[in-house]
């Protein structure tokens, strides 16, 4: 039941836990996703991890070099491409289930208060702190440098002010790397303490929303863009993501997120 799934997700206390069912509409599987406190309609890394796990235990038969599957979720259909790269590592890429939607903006002074930063740490040249979604909404905030990224901490009292404004309190912060020696295009962090996730080491849905927004604000009307993203460094759990977006005639037509997985644990639930 939904109640049992929520209790299990709360007990595990991971950013998300997924539950896999037979498909309702003829696709590969139906997947439901829970944080420690709520069910969410879509999330990136749970899909990548679930596809990896099902492939690893043989649910898709002999894993070919390229395998295409589709998960049914509350936000819609999530197509996933699985690539068998090595004996231990499998690469998966998902396409977000919804088109990019852009929401409310937030004043720099308020978001600085929420993040325990100064207003000068908030960058607004490309976009204001703004809500974006491709299936799950996040408040996307660009910061000026890595120092600001590292020192950001959520002020829970100020976070309530976002809720009062009917703005999602799930905040994805990022910097565009400026050091030519940096291996990454973007460094990011994500905070969702009101959903039971003080900080997430990797957030596919947030990074999908981010790259969709960056494509949306790009001056190019038709373009395919890609980014190498790292998240989770500040909490000692670095995760590497590959993101891309497609834009045609001024409209973002699709965003994708990808990464490698390896198995780290397995077990049984005893009832």
């Amino acid at each position: 039941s939904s109640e049992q799934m929520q209790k299990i997700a709360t007990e595990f206390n991971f950013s998300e836990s997924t539950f896999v069912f037979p498909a309702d509409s003829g696709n590969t599987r139906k997947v439901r996703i829970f944080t420690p406190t709520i069910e969410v309609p879509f999330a990136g890394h749970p899909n990548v991890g679930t596809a990896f796990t099902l492939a690893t235990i043989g649910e898709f038969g002999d894993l070919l070099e390229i395998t295409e599957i589709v998960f049914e979720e509350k936000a819609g259909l999530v197509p996933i491409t699985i690539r068998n790269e090595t004996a231990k590592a499998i690469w998966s890429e998902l396409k977000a289930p919804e088109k990019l939607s852009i929401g409310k903006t937030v004043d720099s002074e308020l978001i600085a208060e929420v993040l325990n930063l100064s207003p000068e740490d908030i960058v607004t040249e490309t976009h204001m702190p703004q809500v974006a979604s491709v299936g799950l909404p996040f408040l996307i905030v660009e910061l000026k440098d890595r120092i600001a990224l590292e020192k950001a901490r959520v002020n829970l009292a100020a976070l309530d002010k976002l809720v009062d404004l009917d703005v999602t309190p799930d905040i994805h912060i990022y910097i565009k790397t400026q050091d030519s020696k940096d291996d990454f295009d973007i460094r990011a962090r994500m905070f969702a303490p009101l959903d039971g996730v003080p900080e997430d080491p990797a957030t596919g849905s947030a990074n999908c929303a981010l790259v969709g927004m960056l494509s949306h604000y790009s001056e190019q009307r038709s373009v395919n863009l890609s980014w190498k993203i790292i998240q989770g460094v500040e909490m000692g759990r670095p995760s590497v993501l590959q993101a891309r977006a497609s834009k045609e005639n001024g409209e973002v037509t699709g965003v994708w997120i990808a990464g490698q997985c390896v198995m780290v644990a397995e077990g049984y639930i005893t009832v």
Side-chain angles (χ1 to χ4, degrees):
S1 69
S2 296
E3 181 182 8
Q4 290 171 320
M5 287 186 280
Q6 185 63 76
K7 286 182 177 180
I8 291 169
T10 301
E11 181 68 25
F12 283 157
N13 202 36
F14 290 132
S15 298
E16 298 98 359
S17 299
T18 68
F19 299 84
V20 183
F21 299 86
D24 289 334
S25 304
N27 295 288
T28 310
R29 292 289 190 278
K30 173 182 172 182
V31 177
R32 295 179 66 181
I33 306 170
F34 289 76
T35 78
T37 61
I38 62 168
E39 183 175 7
V40 293
F42 165 69
H45 277 66
N47 278 299
V48 170
T50 300
F52 161 80
T53 302
L54 295 178
T56 299
I57 65 176
E59 287 292 306
F60 306 142
D62 293 334
L63 193 61
L64 306 175
E65 183 178 347
I66 297 290
T67 300
E68 304 280 352
I69 64 172
V70 179
F71 287 157
E72 299 170 2
E73 300 182 8
K74 288 183 177 292
L77 299 181
V78 181
I80 302 176
T81 300
I82 304 169
R83 188 167 71 218
N84 195 0
E85 293 196 325
T86 71
K88 293 184 178 180
I90 292 175
W91 177 93
S92 300
E93 181 184 63
L94 68 84
K95 183 179 181 182
E98 295 181 1
K99 285 189 174 183
L100 175 71
S101 60
I102 301 293
K104 292 182 178 180
T105 60
V106 175
D107 185 78
S108 294
E109 284 75 13
L110 173 55
I111 196 61
E113 180 185 0
V114 170
L115 294 171
N116 280 302
L117 298 173
S118 68
E120 292 73 25
D121 291 322
I122 312 301
V123 177
T124 60
E125 292 177 3
T126 302
H127 61 85
M128 291 289 293
Q130 188 166 23
V131 176
S133 174
V134 289
L136 189 65
F138 293 88
L139 179 59
I140 309 291
V141 183
E142 184 179 359
L143 302 183
K144 71 175 182 179
D145 55 28
R146 193 166 176 180
I147 294 174
L149 187 72
E150 291 173 350
K151 72 180 182 181
R153 299 290 185 275
V154 173
N155 177 341
L156 291 176
L159 199 62
D160 288 338
K161 297 180 181 181
L162 292 180
V163 177
D164 292 341
L165 293 172
D166 196 27
V167 171
T168 177
D170 299 347
I171 304 173
H172 193 57
I173 62 176
Y174 75 98
I175 62 168
K176 299 170 185 171
T177 56
Q178 300 165 345
D179 185 348
S180 60
K181 296 180 181 179
D182 199 320
D183 291 333
F184 302 96
D185 302 304
I186 288 173
R187 290 181 172 270
R189 300 177 71 184
M190 199 287 288
F191 307 102
L194 301 189
D195 292 343
V197 184
E199 182 169 357
D200 192 16
T203 318
S205 50
N207 283 293
C208 278
L210 166 61
V211 300
M213 173 180 280
L214 293 178
S215 299
H216 171 77
Y217 284 114
S218 169
E219 294 180 356
Q220 297 170 283
R221 290 188 52 79
S222 297
V223 65
N224 293 312
L225 299 170
S226 62
W227 298 261
K228 187 176 182 182
I229 303 171
I230 189 163
Q231 185 181 334
V233 172
E234 293 75 15
M235 59 188 302
R237 296 173 62 189
S239 300
V240 178
L241 307 85
Q242 295 283 349
R244 60 188 180 96
S246 179
K247 183 179 182 182
E248 298 178 9
N249 298 319
E251 180 182 1
V252 178
T253 55
V255 293
W256 294 260
I257 199 80
Q260 277 191 338
C261 285
V262 295
M263 189 75 76
V264 295
E266 58 183 322
Y268 300 89
I269 299 173
T270 302
V271 294

